[in-house]
Coordinates of all heavy atoms in Angstrom, one line a residue:
M750 N 69.0 100.3 79.4 CA 69.6 101.2 80.4 C 69.7 102.6 79.7 O 70.0 102.8 78.6 CB 71.0 100.7 80.7 CG 71.7 101.5 81.8 SD 73.2 100.6 82.3 CE 74.4 101.9 82.0
A751 N 69.5 103.6 80.6 CA 69.5 105.0 80.1 C 70.9 105.4 79.7 O 71.9 105.1 80.4 CB 69.0 105.9 81.1
E752 N 71.0 106.1 78.6 CA 72.3 106.7 78.2 C 72.5 108.0 78.9 O 71.5 108.7 79.1 CB 72.4 106.8 76.7 CG 72.5 105.5 76.0 CD 72.6 105.6 74.5 OE1 72.2 106.6 74.0 OE2 73.2 104.7 73.9
K753 N 73.7 108.3 79.3 CA 73.9 109.6 80.0 C 74.7 110.6 79.2 O 75.5 110.2 78.4 CB 74.8 109.2 81.3 CG 74.8 110.3 82.3 CD 75.6 109.9 83.5 CE 75.0 108.8 84.4 NZ 75.8 108.5 85.6
Y754 N 74.3 111.8 79.3 CA 74.9 112.9 78.5 C 75.3 114.0 79.4 O 74.8 114.2 80.5 CB 73.9 113.4 77.5 CG 73.5 112.4 76.5 CD1 72.3 111.6 76.7 CD2 74.3 112.1 75.4 CE1 72.0 110.6 75.8 CE2 73.9 111.1 74.5 CZ 72.8 110.3 74.7 OH 72.5 109.4 73.8
K755 N 76.3 114.8 78.9 CA 76.8 115.9 79.6 C 76.7 117.1 78.7 O 77.2 117.0 77.5 CB 78.2 115.7 80.0 CG 78.9 116.8 80.8 CD 80.2 116.3 81.5 CE 81.3 116.1 80.5 NZ 82.5 115.7 81.1
I756 N 76.1 118.2 79.1 CA 76.1 119.4 78.4 C 77.1 120.3 78.9 O 77.2 120.6 80.1 CB 74.7 120.1 78.4 CG1 73.7 119.1 77.9 CG2 74.6 121.4 77.7 CD1 72.3 119.2 78.5
V757 N 78.0 120.8 78.0 CA 79.2 121.6 78.5 C 79.1 123.0 77.8 O 78.9 123.1 76.6 CB 80.5 120.9 78.1 CG1 81.7 121.8 78.5 CG2 80.6 119.6 78.7
H758 N 79.3 124.0 78.6 CA 79.3 125.4 78.1 C 80.7 126.0 78.3 O 81.1 126.1 79.5 CB 78.3 126.2 78.9 CG 78.1 127.6 78.5 ND1 77.7 128.6 79.3 CD2 78.2 128.2 77.2 CE1 77.6 129.8 78.7 NE2 77.9 129.5 77.4
D759 N 81.4 126.3 77.2 CA 82.7 127.0 77.3 C 82.4 128.5 77.5 O 82.4 129.3 76.5 CB 83.5 126.7 76.1 CG 84.9 127.2 76.3 OD1 85.2 127.9 77.3 OD2 85.8 126.9 75.4
R760 N 82.1 128.9 78.7 CA 81.5 130.3 78.9 C 82.5 131.4 78.6 O 82.1 132.5 78.3 CB 81.1 130.3 80.4 CG 80.1 131.5 80.7 CD 79.5 131.4 82.1 NE 78.4 132.3 82.2 CZ 78.6 133.6 82.5 NH1 79.8 134.1 82.8 NH2 77.5 134.3 82.6
D761 N 83.8 131.1 78.6 CA 84.8 132.1 78.3 C 84.6 132.7 76.9 O 84.9 133.9 76.7 CB 86.2 131.6 78.4 CG 86.7 131.5 79.9 OD1 86.0 132.1 80.8 OD2 87.8 130.9 80.1
I762 N 84.1 131.9 76.0 CA 84.0 132.4 74.6 C 82.6 132.7 74.2 O 82.3 133.1 73.1 CB 84.7 131.4 73.6 CG1 84.0 130.1 73.6 CG2 86.1 131.3 73.8 CD1 84.4 129.1 72.5
C763 N 81.7 132.6 75.2 CA 80.3 133.0 74.9 C 80.2 134.5 74.6 O 80.8 135.3 75.3 CB 79.4 132.7 76.1 SG 77.7 133.3 76.1
I764 N 79.5 134.9 73.5 CA 79.4 136.3 73.1 C 78.0 136.9 73.5 O 77.7 138.0 73.2 CB 79.6 136.5 71.6 CG1 78.6 135.7 70.8 CG2 81.0 136.1 71.2 CD1 78.6 136.0 69.3
G765 N 77.2 136.1 74.2 CA 76.0 136.6 74.7 C 74.9 136.9 73.7 O 74.1 137.8 73.9
C766 N 74.8 136.1 72.6 CA 73.9 136.4 71.6 C 72.4 135.9 71.9 O 71.5 136.3 71.3 CB 74.3 135.7 70.3 SG 74.1 133.9 70.3
S767 N 72.3 135.1 72.9 CA 71.0 134.6 73.5 C 70.3 133.6 72.6 O 69.2 133.2 72.9 CB 70.1 135.7 73.9 OG 69.4 136.3 72.7
A768 N 71.0 133.1 71.6 CA 70.3 132.0 70.8 C 70.0 130.8 71.6 O 68.9 130.2 71.4 CB 71.2 131.7 69.6
C769 N 70.9 130.4 72.4 CA 70.6 129.1 73.2 C 69.4 129.3 74.1 O 68.6 128.4 74.3 CB 71.9 128.8 74.0 SG 72.5 130.1 75.1
A770 N 69.3 130.5 74.7 CA 68.2 130.8 75.6 C 66.8 130.8 74.9 O 65.8 130.5 75.4 CB 68.4 132.1 76.4
S771 N 66.9 131.2 73.6 CA 65.7 131.2 72.8 C 65.3 129.8 72.3 O 64.1 129.5 72.4 CB 65.9 132.1 71.5 OG 66.2 133.4 71.9
V772 N 66.3 129.0 72.0 CA 66.0 127.7 71.4 C 65.7 126.7 72.5 O 64.9 125.8 72.4 CB 67.3 127.2 70.6 CG1 67.2 125.7 70.3 CG2 67.4 128.0 69.4
C773 N 66.3 126.8 73.7 CA 66.2 125.8 74.8 C 66.1 126.5 76.1 O 67.0 126.4 77.0 CB 67.4 124.9 74.7 SG 67.4 123.5 75.9
P774 N 65.0 127.3 76.4 CA 64.9 128.1 77.6 C 64.8 127.2 78.9 O 65.1 127.8 80.0 CB 63.7 128.9 77.4 CG 62.9 128.2 76.3 CD 63.9 127.5 75.5
K775 N 64.4 126.0 78.7 CA 64.3 125.1 79.9 C 65.7 125.0 80.6 O 65.9 124.8 81.8 CB 63.8 123.8 79.6 CG 63.5 122.8 80.7 CD 62.8 121.6 80.3 CE 62.7 120.6 81.4 NZ 62.1 119.3 81.0
Y776 N 66.8 125.0 79.8 CA 68.1 124.8 80.3 C 68.9 126.0 80.3 O 69.8 126.2 81.2 CB 68.9 123.7 79.4 CG 68.6 122.3 79.8 CD1 67.4 121.7 79.6 CD2 69.6 121.6 80.4 CE1 67.1 120.4 80.0 CE2 69.4 120.3 80.8 CZ 68.1 119.7 80.6 OH 67.9 118.4 81.0
W777 N 68.7 127.0 79.3 CA 69.6 128.1 79.1 C 68.9 129.4 79.5 O 67.8 129.6 79.1 CB 70.1 128.1 77.7 CG 70.9 126.9 77.3 CD1 70.5 125.7 76.9 CD2 72.3 126.8 77.4 NE1 71.5 124.9 76.7 CE2 72.7 125.5 77.0 CE3 73.3 127.7 77.9 CZ2 74.0 125.1 77.1 CZ3 74.6 127.3 77.9 CH2 75.0 126.0 77.5
Y778 N 69.6 130.3 80.1 CA 69.1 131.6 80.4 C 70.3 132.6 80.3 O 71.4 132.3 80.4 CB 68.5 131.7 81.8 CG 69.5 131.5 83.0 CD1 69.9 132.6 83.7 CD2 69.9 130.2 83.4 CE1 70.8 132.4 84.8 CE2 70.8 130.1 84.4 CZ 71.2 131.2 85.1 OH 72.1 131.0 86.1
M779 N 69.9 133.9 80.2 CA 70.9 135.0 80.1 C 71.2 135.5 81.5 O 70.2 135.8 82.3 CB 70.4 136.1 79.2 CG 70.1 135.6 77.7 SD 71.5 134.7 77.0 CE 72.8 135.9 76.9
E780 N 72.4 135.7 81.8 CA 72.9 136.2 83.1 C 73.1 137.7 83.0 O 73.2 138.3 82.0 CB 74.2 135.4 83.5 CG 74.7 135.6 84.9 CD 73.7 135.2 85.9 OE1 73.7 134.0 86.3 OE2 72.9 136.1 86.3
S781 N 73.2 138.3 84.2 CA 73.3 139.8 84.2 C 74.6 140.3 83.6 O 74.7 141.5 83.3 CB 73.2 140.3 85.7 OG 74.1 139.7 86.5
D782 N 75.6 139.4 83.5 CA 76.9 139.9 82.9 C 76.8 139.8 81.3 O 77.8 140.0 80.7 CB 78.1 139.1 83.4 CG 78.0 137.6 83.0 OD1 77.0 137.1 82.4 OD2 79.0 136.9 83.3
G783 N 75.6 139.4 80.8 CA 75.4 139.4 79.4 C 75.7 138.1 78.7 O 75.5 137.9 77.5
K784 N 76.2 137.1 79.5 CA 76.5 135.8 78.9 C 75.4 134.8 79.4 O 74.7 135.1 80.3 CB 77.9 135.3 79.3 CG 79.0 136.1 78.8 CD 80.3 135.4 79.1 CE 81.5 136.3 78.5 NZ 82.7 135.5 78.4
S785 N 75.3 133.6 78.7 CA 74.3 132.7 79.1 C 74.9 131.7 80.2 O 76.1 131.6 80.4 CB 73.9 131.8 77.9 OG 74.9 131.1 77.4
N786 N 74.0 131.1 80.9 CA 74.3 130.1 81.9 C 73.3 128.9 81.7 O 72.3 129.0 81.1 CB 74.1 130.6 83.3 CG 75.3 131.3 83.9 OD1 76.4 131.2 83.3 ND2 75.1 132.1 84.9
I787 N 73.7 127.7 82.3 CA 72.8 126.6 82.3 C 72.1 126.5 83.6 O 72.8 126.5 84.7 CB 73.5 125.3 82.0 CG1 74.5 125.4 80.8 CG2 72.5 124.1 81.8 CD1 75.4 124.2 80.6
H788 N 70.8 126.4 83.7 CA 70.1 126.2 85.0 C 70.7 125.0 85.7 O 70.8 123.9 85.2 CB 68.6 126.0 84.8 CG 67.9 127.2 84.3 ND1 67.7 128.3 85.0 CD2 67.3 127.4 83.1 CE1 67.0 129.2 84.3 NE2 66.7 128.7 83.1
G789 N 71.1 125.2 87.0 CA 71.5 124.1 87.8 C 72.9 123.5 87.4 O 73.2 122.4 87.9
A790 N 73.7 124.2 86.6 CA 74.9 123.6 86.2 C 76.0 123.7 87.3 O 75.9 124.5 88.2 CB 75.4 124.4 84.9
T791 N 77.0 122.9 87.2 CA 78.2 122.9 88.0 C 79.3 123.6 87.3 O 79.6 123.3 86.2 CB 78.6 121.4 88.3 OG1 77.5 120.7 88.9 CG2 79.8 121.4 89.3
K792 N 79.9 124.5 88.0 CA 81.1 125.2 87.5 C 82.3 124.2 87.5 O 82.5 123.6 88.6 CB 81.5 126.4 88.2 CG 80.3 127.4 88.4 CD 80.1 128.2 87.1 CE 79.0 129.3 87.4 NZ 77.8 129.1 86.7
T793 N 83.0 124.0 86.4 CA 84.1 123.1 86.4 C 85.4 123.7 86.2 O 86.4 123.0 86.0 CB 83.8 122.0 85.2 OG1 83.8 122.8 84.0 CG2 82.6 121.3 85.5
G794 N 85.5 125.0 86.3 CA 86.8 125.7 86.1 C 87.1 126.0 84.6 O 86.4 125.5 83.8
N795 N 88.1 126.7 84.4 CA 88.5 127.2 83.0 C 87.3 127.8 82.3 O 87.1 127.6 81.1 CB 89.0 126.0 82.2 CG 90.2 125.4 82.8 OD1 91.1 126.1 83.3 ND2 90.3 124.1 82.8
G796 N 86.4 128.4 83.0 CA 85.3 129.1 82.4 C 84.2 128.2 82.0 O 83.2 128.6 81.3
E797 N 84.3 126.9 82.3 CA 83.3 125.9 81.9 C 82.2 125.6 82.9 O 82.5 125.7 84.1 CB 83.9 124.6 81.5 CG 84.6 124.6 80.2 CD 84.9 123.2 79.7 OE1 84.8 122.2 80.5 OE2 85.4 123.1 78.6
E798 N 81.0 125.3 82.5 CA 80.0 124.8 83.4 C 79.4 123.6 82.7 O 79.4 123.5 81.4 CB 79.0 125.8 83.7 CG 78.3 126.5 82.5 CD 77.3 127.5 82.8 OE1 77.1 127.8 84.0 OE2 76.6 128.0 81.9
E799 N 78.8 122.7 83.4 CA 78.3 121.5 82.8 C 77.1 121.0 83.6 O 76.9 121.2 84.8 CB 79.3 120.4 82.7 CG 79.8 119.8 84.0 CD 80.9 118.7 83.9 OE1 81.7 118.9 82.9 OE2 80.8 117.8 84.6
I800 N 76.3 120.2 83.0 CA 75.1 119.6 83.6 C 74.9 118.2 83.0 O 75.2 118.0 81.8 CB 73.8 120.4 83.5 CG1 72.8 119.9 84.4 CG2 73.4 120.5 82.1 CD1 71.6 120.9 84.6
L801 N 74.6 117.2 83.8 CA 74.4 115.9 83.3 C 72.9 115.5 83.2 O 72.1 116.0 84.0 CB 74.9 114.8 84.4 CG 76.4 114.6 84.3 CD1 76.8 113.8 85.6 CD2 76.9 114.0 83.1
G802 N 72.5 114.7 82.2 CA 71.2 114.3 82.1 C 71.2 112.9 81.3 O 72.2 112.5 80.8
T803 N 70.1 112.2 81.3 CA 70.0 111.0 80.6 C 69.0 111.1 79.5 O 68.2 112.1 79.4 CB 69.5 109.8 81.5 OG1 68.1 110.0 81.8 CG2 70.3 109.8 82.8
N804 N 68.9 110.1 78.7 CA 68.0 110.1 77.5 C 66.6 109.5 77.9 O 65.8 109.2 77.0 CB 68.5 109.4 76.3 CG 68.7 107.9 76.5 OD1 68.7 107.5 77.7 ND2 68.9 107.2 75.5
E805 N 66.4 109.2 79.2 CA 65.1 108.6 79.6 C 64.0 109.7 79.5 O 64.3 110.8 79.7 CB 65.1 108.1 81.0 CG 65.9 106.8 81.1 CD 65.9 106.3 82.5 OE1 65.9 107.1 83.5 OE2 65.9 105.0 82.7
N806 N 62.8 109.2 79.2 CA 61.7 110.2 79.1 C 61.5 110.9 80.4 O 61.7 110.2 81.5 CB 60.4 109.5 78.7 CG 60.4 109.1 77.3 OD1 61.0 109.8 76.4 ND2 59.6 108.1 76.9
P807 N 61.2 112.2 80.5 CA 61.0 113.1 79.4 C 62.3 113.8 78.9 O 62.2 114.7 78.2 CB 60.0 114.1 80.0 CG 60.5 114.2 81.4 CD 61.0 112.8 81.8
L808 N 63.4 113.3 79.3 CA 64.7 114.0 78.9 C 65.1 113.8 77.5 O 66.0 114.5 77.0 CB 65.8 113.5 79.9 CG 65.6 114.0 81.3 CD1 66.7 113.4 82.2 CD2 65.7 115.5 81.4
T809 N 64.5 112.9 76.7 CA 64.8 112.8 75.3 C 64.6 114.1 74.6 O 65.4 114.5 73.8 CB 63.9 111.7 74.7 OG1 64.1 110.5 75.4 CG2 64.3 111.5 73.2
E810 N 63.5 114.7 74.9 CA 63.2 116.0 74.3 C 64.3 117.1 74.7 O 64.7 117.9 74.0 CB 61.8 116.5 74.8 CG 61.4 117.8 74.2 CD 60.0 118.2 74.8 OE1 59.2 117.3 75.1 OE2 59.8 119.4 75.0
D811 N 64.8 117.0 76.0 CA 65.8 117.9 76.5 C 67.1 117.7 75.7 O 67.8 118.6 75.4 CB 66.0 117.7 78.0 CG 64.8 118.1 78.8 OD1 63.8 118.6 78.2 OD2 64.8 117.8 80.0
Y812 N 67.4 116.4 75.5 CA 68.6 116.1 74.7 C 68.6 116.8 73.3 O 69.5 117.5 72.9 CB 68.8 114.6 74.6 CG 69.8 114.2 73.6 CD1 71.2 114.2 73.9 CD2 69.4 113.8 72.3 CE1 72.1 113.8 73.0 CE2 70.4 113.4 71.4 CZ 71.7 113.4 71.7 OH 72.7 113.1 70.8
E813 N 67.4 116.6 72.6 CA 67.3 117.2 71.3 C 67.4 118.7 71.4 O 68.0 119.3 70.5 CB 66.0 116.7 70.7 CG 65.8 115.3 70.4 CD 66.8 114.7 69.4 OE1 67.3 115.6 68.6 OE2 67.1 113.5 69.3
S814 N 66.7 119.3 72.4 CA 66.7 120.8 72.4 C 68.1 121.3 72.7 O 68.5 122.4 72.3 CB 65.7 121.3 73.4 OG 65.9 120.9 74.7
N815 N 68.9 120.5 73.5 CA 70.3 121.0 73.7 C 71.2 120.8 72.5 O 72.1 121.6 72.3 CB 70.9 120.3 75.0 CG 70.5 121.0 76.2 OD1 70.9 122.1 76.5 ND2 69.6 120.4 77.1
I816 N 70.9 119.8 71.7 CA 71.6 119.7 70.4 C 71.3 120.9 69.6 O 72.1 121.5 68.9 CB 71.2 118.4 69.7 CG1 71.7 117.1 70.4 CG2 71.7 118.4 68.2 CD1 73.2 116.9 70.4
D817 N 70.0 121.3 69.6 CA 69.6 122.5 68.8 C 70.3 123.7 69.3 O 70.7 124.6 68.6 CB 68.0 122.7 68.9 CG 67.2 121.6 68.2 OD1 67.8 120.9 67.3 OD2 66.0 121.5 68.4
A818 N 70.4 123.8 70.7 CA 71.1 125.0 71.3 C 72.5 125.0 70.8 O 73.1 126.1 70.4 CB 71.0 124.9 72.8
A819 N 73.2 123.8 70.8 CA 74.6 123.8 70.4 C 74.7 124.2 68.9 O 75.6 124.9 68.5 CB 75.1 122.4 70.6
E820 N 73.8 123.7 68.1 CA 73.8 124.0 66.6 C 73.5 125.5 66.4 O 74.0 126.1 65.4 CB 72.8 123.2 65.9 CG 73.3 121.7 65.8 CD 72.3 120.8 65.1 OE1 71.1 121.2 65.0 OE2 72.7 119.7 64.7
S821 N 72.8 126.1 67.3 CA 72.4 127.6 67.1 C 73.6 128.5 67.6 O 73.5 129.7 67.3 CB 71.2 127.9 67.9 OG 71.5 128.0 69.3
C822 N 74.5 128.0 68.3 CA 75.6 128.9 68.9 C 76.6 129.3 67.8 O 77.2 128.5 67.2 CB 76.3 128.1 70.0 SG 77.6 129.1 70.8
P823 N 76.7 130.6 67.6 CA 77.6 131.1 66.5 C 79.1 130.9 66.8 O 79.9 131.0 65.9 CB 77.2 132.5 66.4 CG 76.7 132.9 67.7 CD 76.0 131.7 68.3
V824 N 79.4 130.7 68.0 CA 80.9 130.6 68.4 C 81.2 129.2 68.9 O 82.3 128.9 69.4 CB 81.3 131.6 69.4 CG1 81.3 133.0 68.7 CG2 80.5 131.6 70.7
N825 N 80.3 128.2 68.7 CA 80.5 126.8 69.1 C 81.0 126.6 70.5 O 82.0 125.9 70.7 CB 81.5 126.2 68.1 CG 80.9 126.1 66.7 OD1 79.7 125.9 66.5 ND2 81.8 126.4 65.7
C826 N 80.3 127.3 71.5 CA 80.8 127.1 72.8 C 79.8 126.2 73.7 O 80.0 126.1 74.9 CB 81.0 128.4 73.5 SG 79.6 129.5 73.8
I827 N 78.9 125.6 73.0 CA 78.0 124.6 73.6 C 78.3 123.2 73.0 O 78.4 123.1 71.8 CB 76.5 124.9 73.4 CG1 76.2 126.3 74.0 CG2 75.6 123.8 74.0 CD1 74.7 126.7 73.7
H828 N 78.5 122.3 73.9 CA 78.9 120.9 73.5 C 78.0 119.9 74.3 O 77.7 120.1 75.4 CB 80.4 120.6 73.7 CG 81.2 121.6 72.9 ND1 81.4 121.6 71.6 CD2 81.9 122.7 73.4 CE1 82.2 122.6 71.2 NE2 82.5 123.3 72.3
V829 N 77.7 118.8 73.6 CA 77.0 117.7 74.2 C 77.9 116.5 74.1 O 78.4 116.2 73.0 CB 75.6 117.4 73.5 CG1 74.9 116.2 74.2 CG2 74.7 118.7 73.6
H830 N 78.2 115.9 75.3 CA 79.0 114.7 75.3 C 78.2 113.5 75.8 O 77.3 113.6 76.6 CB 80.1 114.9 76.3 CG 81.1 116.0 76.1 ND1 82.4 115.8 76.2 CD2 80.9 117.3 75.7 CE1 83.0 117.0 75.9 NE2 82.1 117.9 75.6
K831 N 78.5 112.3 75.2 CA 77.9 111.1 75.7 C 78.9 110.6 76.8 O 80.1 110.5 76.6 CB 77.8 110.1 74.6 CG 77.2 108.8 75.1 CD 76.9 107.9 73.9 CE 76.3 106.6 74.3 NZ 75.9 105.7 73.1
V832 N 78.4 110.3 78.0 CA 79.2 109.8 79.1 C 79.2 108.2 79.1 O 78.1 107.6 79.2 CB 78.7 110.3 80.4 CG1 79.6 109.8 81.6 CG2 78.8 111.9 80.4
K833 N 80.3 107.6 79.0 CA 80.4 106.2 79.0 C 80.4 105.6 80.4 O 80.6 106.3 81.4 CB 81.7 105.7 78.3 CG 81.8 106.3 76.8 CD 83.1 105.9 76.2 CE 83.2 106.5 74.8 NZ 84.6 106.4 74.3
D834 N 80.1 104.3 80.4 CA 80.1 103.6 81.7 C 81.3 103.7 82.6 O 81.3 103.7 83.8 CB 79.8 102.1 81.5 CG 78.4 101.9 81.0 OD1 77.5 102.8 81.2 OD2 78.1 100.8 80.5
D835 N 82.5 103.8 81.9 CA 83.7 104.0 82.6 C 84.0 105.4 83.1 O 85.1 105.7 83.6 CB 84.9 103.4 81.8 CG 85.2 104.2 80.5 OD1 84.5 105.2 80.3 OD2 86.1 103.8 79.8
G836 N 83.1 106.3 82.8 CA 83.2 107.7 83.3 C 83.9 108.6 82.2 O 83.9 109.8 82.4
T837 N 84.5 108.0 81.2 CA 85.0 108.9 80.1 C 83.9 109.4 79.2 O 82.7 108.8 79.3 CB 86.0 108.1 79.3 OG1 85.4 107.0 78.6 CG2 87.2 107.6 80.1
D838 N 84.1 110.4 78.5 CA 83.0 110.9 77.6 C 83.5 111.1 76.2 O 84.7 111.2 75.9 CB 82.4 112.1 78.2 CG 83.4 113.2 78.4 OD1 83.8 113.9 77.5 OD2 83.7 113.5 79.6
E839 N 82.5 111.2 75.3 CA 82.8 111.3 73.9 C 81.9 112.5 73.4 O 80.7 112.5 73.6 CB 82.3 110.0 73.2 CG 82.4 110.0 71.7 CD 81.8 108.7 71.1 OE1 81.7 107.7 71.9 OE2 81.4 108.7 70.0
K840 N 82.6 113.5 72.7 CA 81.9 114.7 72.3 C 81.0 114.3 71.1 O 81.5 113.8 70.1 CB 82.9 115.8 71.9 CG 82.2 117.1 71.6 CD 83.1 118.3 71.7 CE 84.0 118.4 70.6 NZ 84.8 119.7 70.6
I841 N 79.7 114.7 71.1 CA 78.8 114.4 70.0 C 78.8 115.7 69.1 O 78.8 115.6 67.9 CB 77.4 114.1 70.5 CG1 77.4 112.8 71.3 CG2 76.4 114.1 69.4 CD1 76.1 112.5 72.1
I842 N 78.7 116.8 69.8 CA 78.7 118.1 69.0 C 79.5 119.1 69.8 O 79.5 119.1 71.1 CB 77.3 118.6 68.7 CG1 77.3 119.8 67.8 CG2 76.5 118.9 70.0 CD1 75.9 120.2 67.3
Ligands
SF4_288 S1 74.3 130.7 71.7 FE1 76.4 130.5 72.3 S2 77.3 132.6 72.2 FE2 75.0 132.8 72.2 S3 74.5 133.1 74.4 FE3 74.3 130.9 74.0 S4 76.3 130.1 74.5 FE4 76.6 132.3 74.3

């Protein structure tokens, strides 16, 4: 069974350095206000946006590249969570 992941952007603290968009352009892009956004993300309030994906091919590569994006963020405002069957989630990074 595919594992499900959630990518979370704490947009309030994004400093607009564009590292995420360079490392993972399939998911991340720079917005006209100077901060990044996730393509197709849902706004969740409190300045956050998130998108769900699974580890099934070809998304395995996407999972890895979003981990790379999170590691590249100088202010740690990108997080990847594993979503459990009961709907709760566990932060990986
Ligand atoms: S790497 Fe972090 S601070 Fe830089 S644009 Fe992306 S989310 Fe914002």
Side-chain angles (χ1 to χ4, degrees):
M750 189 171 122
E752 293 183 330
K753 195 179 288 183
Y754 297 94
K755 180 167 71 176
I756 299 152
V757 178
H758 184 209
D759 187 353
R760 199 169 191 275
D761 280 351
I762 62 173
C763 172
I764 60 171
C766 74
S767 78
C769 54
S771 297
V772 167
C773 185
K775 183 174 174 182
Y776 275 68
W777 295 88
Y778 68 99
M779 299 309 294
E780 190 57 89
S781 57
D782 67 355
K784 296 189 177 197
S785 62
N786 277 342
I787 312 171
H788 292 292
T791 302
K792 306 282 187 248
T793 58
N795 300 322
E797 281 193 355
E798 56 179 2
E799 67 180 36
I800 192 165
L801 282 170
T803 75
N804 66 343
E805 286 184 325
N806 285 332
L808 290 173
T809 303
E810 183 182 324
D811 296 349
Y812 168 79
E813 296 294 342
S814 62
N815 275 293
I816 293 286
D817 290 345
E820 289 176 342
S821 78
C822 179
V824 293
N825 297 319
C826 66
I827 297 174
H828 301 286
V829 179
H830 298 225
K831 183 173 182 177
V832 180
K833 300 175 184 173
D834 289 342
D835 65 4
T837 61
D838 58 73
E839 174 186 340
K840 186 159 81 174
I841 295 170
I842 185 170

